Amino acid sequence: MFLTIRFRRYLKGKKDSKTVPLRGTVRKDLTELIRKCIIIIEREKGNGTLTEEAGKEIIELMDITCSYLLRYEPELKREVQGIMRPIVMTQTERIDIMTERHLNAIRKFVEKYCSLGQSRQEVKESICDIFSLDEAEAEEKMEKYWNQSDK
C-alpha cells in the first residue's frame, strides 16, 4: 500500500502547480504497480497466506493512499479507482453481494441436482459440505429451493 508513495515526486502539489503533467510512463507504471499488487494479494489469499479480510484491508488502504496522492490528478485518480473499485466496497455492499451470490449458487445447485435425480438427503449433505452450512441452515435452503425445482 505504501509502494504508491514513491510516485509522489511525479504528482502535482497544490503549491507547486507548475509541475509538468504526468508522463505516460509514470501513469502506466503506477497503474501497472496497482494491478500487480492486486494480483499478488489475490494469489496470497488463494494460498491461505492472507485471509480474505486482510487482503481487502490492504487494498482499501492502497485505495486511501492513492486517493490522497492523486487528489490533484483527477483523471489518474479515476483511472486508479477504476482498477480498484470492483474490490474496494463497503462492508455492507460486500455482505449484500456475497449473500445474494451465495443464495443464488445454493438455489442453482439444488435445482440442478434435483433435476438429475439425486435424493433430497444427498443434495442436502452436499450443500452442507460445499457451502459450509450446518444441518438447520441446509434444511432451510432445501425447504426453500427443493420445492421450487419440482415445479
Short mmCIF file of all heavy atoms in Angstrom, two decimals, residues 62-113:
data_model
loop_
_atom_site.label_atom_id
_atom_site.label_comp_id
_atom_site.label_asym_id
_atom_site.label_seq_id
_atom_site.Cartn_x
_atom_site.Cartn_y
_atom_site.Cartn_z
N MET A 62 -4.56 0.81 0.22
CA MET A 62 -3.93 1.26 -1.02
C MET A 62 -4.82 2.29 -1.72
O MET A 62 -4.34 3.29 -2.24
CB MET A 62 -3.71 0.05 -1.94
CG MET A 62 -2.38 0.03 -2.60
SD MET A 62 -2.00 -1.54 -3.39
CE MET A 62 -3.33 -1.81 -4.51
N ASP A 63 -6.13 2.05 -1.70
CA ASP A 63 -7.09 2.98 -2.29
C ASP A 63 -7.04 4.33 -1.58
O ASP A 63 -7.05 5.38 -2.22
CB ASP A 63 -8.49 2.38 -2.25
CG ASP A 63 -9.53 3.27 -2.90
OD1 ASP A 63 -9.31 3.70 -4.04
OD2 ASP A 63 -10.57 3.55 -2.26
N ILE A 64 -6.99 4.31 -0.26
CA ILE A 64 -6.93 5.55 0.52
C ILE A 64 -5.64 6.30 0.19
O ILE A 64 -5.66 7.52 -0.03
CB ILE A 64 -7.03 5.25 2.03
CG1 ILE A 64 -8.44 4.76 2.37
CG2 ILE A 64 -6.67 6.48 2.86
CD1 ILE A 64 -8.56 4.13 3.75
N THR A 65 -4.52 5.59 0.14
CA THR A 65 -3.23 6.21 -0.18
C THR A 65 -3.26 6.84 -1.56
O THR A 65 -2.85 7.99 -1.74
CB THR A 65 -2.09 5.16 -0.10
OG1 THR A 65 -2.10 4.56 1.18
CG2 THR A 65 -0.75 5.79 -0.37
N CYS A 66 -3.77 6.10 -2.54
CA CYS A 66 -3.84 6.63 -3.91
C CYS A 66 -4.78 7.83 -4.00
O CYS A 66 -4.48 8.80 -4.69
CB CYS A 66 -4.29 5.54 -4.88
SG CYS A 66 -3.01 4.31 -5.19
N SER A 67 -5.89 7.78 -3.30
CA SER A 67 -6.83 8.90 -3.32
C SER A 67 -6.16 10.16 -2.79
O SER A 67 -6.36 11.25 -3.33
CB SER A 67 -8.07 8.58 -2.47
OG SER A 67 -8.81 7.58 -3.10
N TYR A 68 -5.37 10.01 -1.75
CA TYR A 68 -4.66 11.17 -1.19
C TYR A 68 -3.59 11.66 -2.17
O TYR A 68 -3.51 12.85 -2.47
CB TYR A 68 -4.02 10.82 0.15
CG TYR A 68 -3.20 11.95 0.71
CD1 TYR A 68 -3.82 13.05 1.30
CD2 TYR A 68 -1.81 11.95 0.62
CE1 TYR A 68 -3.07 14.11 1.79
CE2 TYR A 68 -1.06 13.00 1.10
CZ TYR A 68 -1.69 14.08 1.69
OH TYR A 68 -0.96 15.13 2.16
N LEU A 69 -2.77 10.76 -2.67
CA LEU A 69 -1.69 11.16 -3.57
C LEU A 69 -2.20 11.77 -4.87
O LEU A 69 -1.57 12.66 -5.43
CB LEU A 69 -0.82 9.95 -3.91
CG LEU A 69 0.11 9.47 -2.82
CD1 LEU A 69 0.81 8.18 -3.26
CD2 LEU A 69 1.15 10.53 -2.47
N LEU A 70 -3.32 11.30 -5.34
CA LEU A 70 -3.84 11.73 -6.64
C LEU A 70 -4.92 12.80 -6.53
O LEU A 70 -5.63 13.05 -7.49
CB LEU A 70 -4.37 10.51 -7.40
CG LEU A 70 -3.34 9.40 -7.65
CD1 LEU A 70 -4.02 8.18 -8.26
CD2 LEU A 70 -2.19 9.90 -8.49
N ARG A 71 -5.01 13.44 -5.40
CA ARG A 71 -6.07 14.43 -5.20
C ARG A 71 -6.00 15.58 -6.21
O ARG A 71 -7.01 16.19 -6.51
CB ARG A 71 -6.07 14.94 -3.77
CG ARG A 71 -4.85 15.72 -3.37
CD ARG A 71 -4.82 15.96 -1.85
NE ARG A 71 -3.65 16.70 -1.44
CZ ARG A 71 -2.45 16.19 -1.23
NH1 ARG A 71 -2.27 14.90 -1.40
NH2 ARG A 71 -1.43 16.95 -0.87
N TYR A 72 -4.83 15.87 -6.76
CA TYR A 72 -4.69 16.94 -7.75
C TYR A 72 -4.56 16.40 -9.17
O TYR A 72 -4.24 17.13 -10.09
CB TYR A 72 -3.50 17.84 -7.42
CG TYR A 72 -3.61 18.45 -6.04
CD1 TYR A 72 -2.68 18.16 -5.06
CD2 TYR A 72 -4.67 19.29 -5.72
CE1 TYR A 72 -2.79 18.70 -3.79
CE2 TYR A 72 -4.79 19.84 -4.45
CZ TYR A 72 -3.84 19.53 -3.49
OH TYR A 72 -3.96 20.07 -2.24
N GLU A 73 -4.77 15.12 -9.32
CA GLU A 73 -4.72 14.45 -10.62
C GLU A 73 -6.04 13.68 -10.83
O GLU A 73 -6.07 12.46 -10.77
CB GLU A 73 -3.54 13.47 -10.69
CG GLU A 73 -2.19 14.11 -10.64
CD GLU A 73 -1.81 14.77 -11.96
OE1 GLU A 73 -2.45 14.51 -13.00
OE2 GLU A 73 -0.85 15.56 -11.93
N PRO A 74 -7.15 14.40 -11.03
CA PRO A 74 -8.46 13.73 -11.06
C PRO A 74 -8.60 12.66 -12.14
O PRO A 74 -9.24 11.63 -11.90
CB PRO A 74 -9.44 14.88 -11.29
CG PRO A 74 -8.63 16.03 -11.78
CD PRO A 74 -7.24 15.83 -11.27
N GLU A 75 -7.98 12.86 -13.28
CA GLU A 75 -8.09 11.88 -14.35
C GLU A 75 -7.41 10.56 -13.96
O GLU A 75 -7.97 9.48 -14.11
CB GLU A 75 -7.47 12.43 -15.64
CG GLU A 75 -7.66 11.53 -16.83
CD GLU A 75 -7.04 12.14 -18.08
OE1 GLU A 75 -7.24 13.34 -18.33
OE2 GLU A 75 -6.35 11.39 -18.78
N LEU A 76 -6.20 10.68 -13.44
CA LEU A 76 -5.47 9.49 -13.00
C LEU A 76 -6.15 8.84 -11.79
O LEU A 76 -6.21 7.62 -11.68
CB LEU A 76 -4.02 9.84 -12.67
CG LEU A 76 -3.11 8.68 -12.26
CD1 LEU A 76 -3.11 7.56 -13.29
CD2 LEU A 76 -1.70 9.19 -12.01
N LYS A 77 -6.69 9.67 -10.91
CA LYS A 77 -7.40 9.16 -9.74
C LYS A 77 -8.58 8.29 -10.18
O LYS A 77 -8.79 7.20 -9.65
CB LYS A 77 -7.88 10.31 -8.86
CG LYS A 77 -8.54 9.88 -7.58
CD LYS A 77 -8.91 11.10 -6.75
CE LYS A 77 -9.60 10.71 -5.47
NZ LYS A 77 -9.92 11.87 -4.65
N ARG A 78 -9.35 8.76 -11.17
CA ARG A 78 -10.48 7.97 -11.68
C ARG A 78 -10.00 6.65 -12.29
O ARG A 78 -10.61 5.60 -12.11
CB ARG A 78 -11.28 8.77 -12.71
CG ARG A 78 -12.25 9.74 -12.12
CD ARG A 78 -13.19 10.32 -13.17
NE ARG A 78 -12.50 11.11 -14.17
CZ ARG A 78 -12.15 12.38 -14.05
NH1 ARG A 78 -12.44 13.02 -12.93
NH2 ARG A 78 -11.52 13.02 -15.00
N GLU A 79 -8.88 6.72 -13.02
CA GLU A 79 -8.34 5.51 -13.64
C GLU A 79 -7.93 4.49 -12.58
O GLU A 79 -8.25 3.30 -12.68
CB GLU A 79 -7.13 5.89 -14.51
CG GLU A 79 -6.58 4.76 -15.32
CD GLU A 79 -5.45 5.20 -16.24
OE1 GLU A 79 -5.32 6.40 -16.54
OE2 GLU A 79 -4.70 4.31 -16.66
N VAL A 80 -7.22 4.96 -11.56
CA VAL A 80 -6.77 4.07 -10.48
C VAL A 80 -7.97 3.51 -9.72
O VAL A 80 -8.02 2.31 -9.41
CB VAL A 80 -5.80 4.82 -9.54
CG1 VAL A 80 -5.56 4.06 -8.27
CG2 VAL A 80 -4.49 5.10 -10.26
N GLN A 81 -8.94 4.36 -9.43
CA GLN A 81 -10.13 3.87 -8.73
C GLN A 81 -10.90 2.86 -9.57
O GLN A 81 -11.49 1.93 -9.05
CB GLN A 81 -11.03 5.04 -8.33
CG GLN A 81 -10.47 5.82 -7.17
CD GLN A 81 -11.30 7.03 -6.81
OE1 GLN A 81 -12.03 7.58 -7.64
NE2 GLN A 81 -11.18 7.47 -5.57
N GLY A 82 -10.85 3.04 -10.89
CA GLY A 82 -11.49 2.07 -11.79
C GLY A 82 -10.87 0.69 -11.67
O GLY A 82 -11.55 -0.32 -11.80
N ILE A 83 -9.57 0.67 -11.41
CA ILE A 83 -8.88 -0.62 -11.23
C ILE A 83 -9.28 -1.26 -9.90
O ILE A 83 -9.53 -2.45 -9.82
CB ILE A 83 -7.34 -0.41 -11.26
CG1 ILE A 83 -6.91 0.08 -12.64
CG2 ILE A 83 -6.62 -1.70 -10.90
CD1 ILE A 83 -5.47 0.58 -12.68
N MET A 84 -9.38 -0.43 -8.86
CA MET A 84 -9.63 -0.96 -7.52
C MET A 84 -11.11 -1.03 -7.15
O MET A 84 -11.48 -1.77 -6.26
CB MET A 84 -8.90 -0.11 -6.48
CG MET A 84 -7.43 -0.32 -6.50
SD MET A 84 -6.64 0.43 -5.08
CE MET A 84 -6.10 1.95 -5.78
N ARG A 85 -11.96 -0.27 -7.79
CA ARG A 85 -13.35 -0.17 -7.38
C ARG A 85 -14.06 -1.51 -7.28
O ARG A 85 -14.85 -1.72 -6.36
CB ARG A 85 -14.09 0.80 -8.31
CG ARG A 85 -15.20 1.58 -7.71
CD ARG A 85 -15.04 2.04 -6.30
NE ARG A 85 -14.17 3.17 -6.13
CZ ARG A 85 -13.73 3.59 -4.97
NH1 ARG A 85 -14.05 2.99 -3.86
NH2 ARG A 85 -12.93 4.62 -4.87
N PRO A 86 -13.83 -2.44 -8.22
CA PRO A 86 -14.51 -3.73 -8.07
C PRO A 86 -14.15 -4.45 -6.77
O PRO A 86 -14.90 -5.29 -6.29
CB PRO A 86 -14.04 -4.53 -9.27
CG PRO A 86 -13.59 -3.53 -10.26
CD PRO A 86 -13.08 -2.36 -9.45
N ILE A 87 -13.00 -4.12 -6.21
CA ILE A 87 -12.53 -4.79 -5.00
C ILE A 87 -12.87 -3.99 -3.75
O ILE A 87 -13.21 -4.55 -2.72
CB ILE A 87 -11.01 -5.03 -5.09
CG1 ILE A 87 -10.72 -5.91 -6.30
CG2 ILE A 87 -10.47 -5.66 -3.83
CD1 ILE A 87 -9.27 -5.97 -6.68
N VAL A 88 -12.77 -2.67 -3.87
CA VAL A 88 -12.99 -1.79 -2.72
C VAL A 88 -14.48 -1.47 -2.63
O VAL A 88 -15.01 -0.74 -3.43
CB VAL A 88 -12.17 -0.49 -2.84
CG1 VAL A 88 -12.43 0.42 -1.66
CG2 VAL A 88 -10.70 -0.80 -2.96
N MET A 89 -15.11 -2.04 -1.65
CA MET A 89 -16.54 -1.80 -1.41
C MET A 89 -16.74 -1.66 0.09
O MET A 89 -15.91 -2.11 0.87
CB MET A 89 -17.37 -2.99 -1.87
CG MET A 89 -17.42 -3.23 -3.31
SD MET A 89 -18.56 -4.58 -3.61
CE MET A 89 -17.71 -5.43 -4.90
N THR A 90 -17.84 -1.09 0.43
CA THR A 90 -18.14 -1.02 1.85
C THR A 90 -18.46 -2.43 2.34
O THR A 90 -18.81 -3.31 1.56
CB THR A 90 -19.34 -0.10 2.14
OG1 THR A 90 -20.52 -0.69 1.57
CG2 THR A 90 -19.12 1.30 1.60
N GLN A 91 -18.35 -2.62 3.61
CA GLN A 91 -18.63 -3.93 4.21
C GLN A 91 -20.07 -4.35 3.91
O GLN A 91 -20.33 -5.51 3.61
CB GLN A 91 -18.38 -3.83 5.72
CG GLN A 91 -18.08 -5.11 6.40
CD GLN A 91 -16.84 -5.82 5.88
OE1 GLN A 91 -16.05 -5.33 5.11
NE2 GLN A 91 -16.70 -7.04 6.30
N THR A 92 -21.00 -3.41 3.98
CA THR A 92 -22.41 -3.72 3.70
C THR A 92 -22.59 -4.16 2.26
O THR A 92 -23.31 -5.14 1.98
CB THR A 92 -23.29 -2.49 3.98
OG1 THR A 92 -23.07 -2.07 5.32
CG2 THR A 92 -24.76 -2.79 3.78
N GLU A 93 -21.94 -3.46 1.30
CA GLU A 93 -22.03 -3.86 -0.10
C GLU A 93 -21.49 -5.27 -0.30
O GLU A 93 -22.09 -6.07 -1.00
CB GLU A 93 -21.23 -2.89 -0.98
CG GLU A 93 -21.85 -1.54 -1.13
CD GLU A 93 -20.93 -0.57 -1.88
OE1 GLU A 93 -19.70 -0.62 -1.68
OE2 GLU A 93 -21.47 0.24 -2.64
N ARG A 94 -20.37 -5.57 0.34
CA ARG A 94 -19.78 -6.90 0.23
C ARG A 94 -20.72 -7.97 0.76
O ARG A 94 -20.91 -9.01 0.14
CB ARG A 94 -18.46 -6.97 1.00
CG ARG A 94 -17.32 -6.42 0.25
CD ARG A 94 -16.04 -6.80 0.96
NE ARG A 94 -15.17 -5.65 0.85
CZ ARG A 94 -14.65 -5.01 1.85
NH1 ARG A 94 -14.83 -5.39 3.07
NH2 ARG A 94 -13.89 -3.97 1.64
N ILE A 95 -21.28 -7.72 1.92
CA ILE A 95 -22.17 -8.71 2.54
C ILE A 95 -23.39 -8.92 1.67
O ILE A 95 -23.79 -10.07 1.43
CB ILE A 95 -22.57 -8.26 3.96
CG1 ILE A 95 -21.34 -8.35 4.88
CG2 ILE A 95 -23.71 -9.10 4.50
CD1 ILE A 95 -21.52 -7.69 6.23
N ASP A 96 -23.97 -7.84 1.14
CA ASP A 96 -25.15 -7.96 0.28
C ASP A 96 -24.85 -8.77 -0.97
O ASP A 96 -25.60 -9.67 -1.34
CB ASP A 96 -25.68 -6.58 -0.13
CG ASP A 96 -26.33 -5.84 1.03
OD1 ASP A 96 -26.60 -6.48 2.08
OD2 ASP A 96 -26.57 -4.63 0.89
N ILE A 97 -23.73 -8.47 -1.62
CA ILE A 97 -23.37 -9.18 -2.85
C ILE A 97 -23.06 -10.64 -2.57
O ILE A 97 -23.52 -11.53 -3.27
CB ILE A 97 -22.18 -8.47 -3.54
CG1 ILE A 97 -22.65 -7.15 -4.14
CG2 ILE A 97 -21.57 -9.36 -4.62
CD1 ILE A 97 -21.54 -6.27 -4.66
N MET A 98 -22.27 -10.89 -1.52
CA MET A 98 -21.91 -12.26 -1.21
C MET A 98 -23.12 -13.07 -0.80
O MET A 98 -23.26 -14.23 -1.19
CB MET A 98 -20.84 -12.30 -0.12
CG MET A 98 -19.50 -11.75 -0.57
SD MET A 98 -18.91 -12.44 -2.13
CE MET A 98 -18.60 -14.12 -1.66
N THR A 99 -24.01 -12.47 -0.04
CA THR A 99 -25.22 -13.18 0.38
C THR A 99 -26.05 -13.53 -0.84
O THR A 99 -26.53 -14.67 -0.97
CB THR A 99 -26.03 -12.31 1.36
OG1 THR A 99 -25.20 -12.01 2.48
CG2 THR A 99 -27.28 -13.03 1.81
N GLU A 100 -26.22 -12.58 -1.75
CA GLU A 100 -27.02 -12.82 -2.95
C GLU A 100 -26.37 -13.91 -3.82
O GLU A 100 -27.05 -14.83 -4.29
CB GLU A 100 -27.14 -11.52 -3.75
CG GLU A 100 -28.03 -11.63 -4.96
CD GLU A 100 -28.15 -10.29 -5.68
OE1 GLU A 100 -28.18 -9.25 -5.02
OE2 GLU A 100 -28.19 -10.33 -6.92
N ARG A 101 -25.06 -13.83 -4.01
CA ARG A 101 -24.36 -14.84 -4.82
C ARG A 101 -24.43 -16.20 -4.16
O ARG A 101 -24.61 -17.22 -4.83
CB ARG A 101 -22.90 -14.44 -5.00
CG ARG A 101 -22.69 -13.33 -5.97
CD ARG A 101 -21.23 -13.03 -6.13
NE ARG A 101 -21.03 -11.91 -7.02
CZ ARG A 101 -19.90 -11.25 -7.12
NH1 ARG A 101 -18.87 -11.60 -6.38
NH2 ARG A 101 -19.78 -10.25 -7.95
N HIS A 102 -24.25 -16.22 -2.86
CA HIS A 102 -24.28 -17.47 -2.10
C HIS A 102 -25.64 -18.14 -2.24
O HIS A 102 -25.73 -19.34 -2.53
CB HIS A 102 -23.93 -17.15 -0.64
CG HIS A 102 -23.64 -18.34 0.19
ND1 HIS A 102 -24.48 -18.77 1.17
CD2 HIS A 102 -22.58 -19.20 0.19
CE1 HIS A 102 -23.97 -19.83 1.74
NE2 HIS A 102 -22.83 -20.11 1.19
N LEU A 103 -26.68 -17.36 -2.03
CA LEU A 103 -28.04 -17.92 -2.13
C LEU A 103 -28.34 -18.38 -3.55
O LEU A 103 -28.96 -19.42 -3.76
CB LEU A 103 -29.07 -16.90 -1.66
CG LEU A 103 -29.06 -16.59 -0.17
CD1 LEU A 103 -30.03 -15.46 0.15
CD2 LEU A 103 -29.38 -17.82 0.65
N ASN A 104 -27.91 -17.62 -4.53
CA ASN A 104 -28.13 -17.98 -5.92
C ASN A 104 -27.39 -19.28 -6.26
O ASN A 104 -27.93 -20.14 -6.96
CB ASN A 104 -27.69 -16.84 -6.85
CG ASN A 104 -28.21 -17.01 -8.25
OD1 ASN A 104 -29.30 -17.51 -8.48
ND2 ASN A 104 -27.41 -16.60 -9.21
N ALA A 105 -26.18 -19.42 -5.76
CA ALA A 105 -25.40 -20.63 -6.01
C ALA A 105 -26.07 -21.85 -5.36
O ALA A 105 -26.14 -22.92 -5.97
CB ALA A 105 -23.98 -20.46 -5.50
N ILE A 106 -26.56 -21.68 -4.15
CA ILE A 106 -27.25 -22.78 -3.47
C ILE A 106 -28.51 -23.17 -4.24
O ILE A 106 -28.77 -24.35 -4.48
CB ILE A 106 -27.59 -22.41 -2.01
CG1 ILE A 106 -26.30 -22.26 -1.19
CG2 ILE A 106 -28.52 -23.46 -1.38
CD1 ILE A 106 -26.51 -21.69 0.19
N ARG A 107 -29.27 -22.16 -4.66
CA ARG A 107 -30.50 -22.42 -5.42
C ARG A 107 -30.18 -23.21 -6.69
O ARG A 107 -30.81 -24.23 -6.99
CB ARG A 107 -31.21 -21.11 -5.77
CG ARG A 107 -32.49 -21.31 -6.59
CD ARG A 107 -33.09 -19.99 -7.05
NE ARG A 107 -32.18 -19.16 -7.80
CZ ARG A 107 -31.86 -19.34 -9.10
NH1 ARG A 107 -32.38 -20.36 -9.76
NH2 ARG A 107 -31.02 -18.54 -9.71
N LYS A 108 -29.19 -22.75 -7.45
CA LYS A 108 -28.82 -23.43 -8.70
C LYS A 108 -28.34 -24.86 -8.44
O LYS A 108 -28.66 -25.77 -9.19
CB LYS A 108 -27.73 -22.64 -9.43
CG LYS A 108 -28.25 -21.39 -10.10
CD LYS A 108 -27.15 -20.67 -10.83
CE LYS A 108 -27.69 -19.46 -11.56
NZ LYS A 108 -26.65 -18.78 -12.33
N PHE A 109 -27.57 -25.02 -7.38
CA PHE A 109 -27.07 -26.34 -7.03
C PHE A 109 -28.23 -27.29 -6.74
O PHE A 109 -28.28 -28.40 -7.27
CB PHE A 109 -26.13 -26.24 -5.82
CG PHE A 109 -25.46 -27.53 -5.47
CD1 PHE A 109 -24.24 -27.85 -6.01
CD2 PHE A 109 -26.06 -28.43 -4.59
CE1 PHE A 109 -23.61 -29.04 -5.69
CE2 PHE A 109 -25.44 -29.61 -4.26
CZ PHE A 109 -24.21 -29.93 -4.82
N VAL A 110 -29.16 -26.85 -5.91
CA VAL A 110 -30.31 -27.69 -5.54
C VAL A 110 -31.14 -28.02 -6.78
O VAL A 110 -31.51 -29.17 -7.00
CB VAL A 110 -31.17 -27.00 -4.45
CG1 VAL A 110 -32.48 -27.75 -4.24
CG2 VAL A 110 -30.39 -26.88 -3.15
N GLU A 111 -31.42 -27.00 -7.60
CA GLU A 111 -32.22 -27.23 -8.80
C GLU A 111 -31.54 -28.22 -9.75
O GLU A 111 -32.18 -29.12 -10.28
CB GLU A 111 -32.46 -25.91 -9.53
CG GLU A 111 -33.44 -25.00 -8.82
CD GLU A 111 -33.55 -23.63 -9.46
OE1 GLU A 111 -32.78 -23.32 -10.40
OE2 GLU A 111 -34.41 -22.85 -9.01
N LYS A 112 -30.23 -28.05 -9.93
CA LYS A 112 -29.51 -28.92 -10.86
C LYS A 112 -29.52 -30.37 -10.39
O LYS A 112 -29.85 -31.28 -11.15
CB LYS A 112 -28.06 -28.44 -11.02
CG LYS A 112 -27.25 -29.33 -11.94
CD LYS A 112 -25.84 -28.82 -12.09
CE LYS A 112 -25.05 -29.73 -13.02
NZ LYS A 112 -23.69 -29.26 -13.21
N TYR A 113 -29.17 -30.59 -9.14
CA TYR A 113 -29.06 -31.97 -8.67
C TYR A 113 -30.41 -32.61 -8.40
O TYR A 113 -30.53 -33.83 -8.46
CB TYR A 113 -28.09 -32.05 -7.50
CG TYR A 113 -26.68 -31.84 -7.99
CD1 TYR A 113 -26.07 -30.60 -7.93
CD2 TYR A 113 -26.00 -32.88 -8.62
CE1 TYR A 113 -24.80 -30.40 -8.45
CE2 TYR A 113 -24.73 -32.70 -9.14
CZ TYR A 113 -24.14 -31.45 -9.05
OH TYR A 113 -22.90 -31.27 -9.57
#
